[in-house]
Amino acid sequence: MTRQRTIGIMIFVLAIVGFFLYAYLLMLSEWSPIVLQLSVLMAVGGILGVISWIGYNMATSRPSPSSLVTDDK
């Protein structure tokens, strides 16, 4: 088996184990409210982080020559 395939199988198995661990913590443990709060916090933080990264890139990048609009009057 190649190294890439081994890493792919490991990622696959860890993702499934992580899902079942998350489901257990969310549904069956006493930590359910904290797990739910942290999940929402991470989701909102991730979305807002991507939005802020897009805004930062838009604010700091130079316009390309093809996007410059000339006013020929």
Side-chain angles (χ1 to χ4, degrees):
M1 215 180 321
T2 65
R3 179 177 167 87
Q4 183 177 359
R5 186 172 176 160
T6 303
I7 292 173
I9 291 171
M10 283 180 24
I11 291 171
F12 177 74
V13 170
L14 288 175
I16 292 173
V17 169
F19 170 77
F20 283 112
L21 178 65
Y22 177 74
Y24 168 75
L25 288 173
L26 191 60
M27 302 293 183
L28 301 174
S29 76
E30 62 187 37
W31 297 93
S32 182
I34 294 172
V35 171
L36 185 60
Q37 289 173 353
L38 289 175
S39 298
V40 171
L41 179 67
M42 290 187 330
V44 170
I47 291 169
L48 292 176
V50 168
I51 291 171
S52 67
W53 176 72
I54 291 170
Y56 173 78
N57 280 328
M58 289 176 68
T60 59
S61 64
R62 294 183 189 168
S64 64
S66 63
S67 69
L68 295 176
V69 178
T70 59
D71 195 17
D72 296 333
K73 285 188 179 182

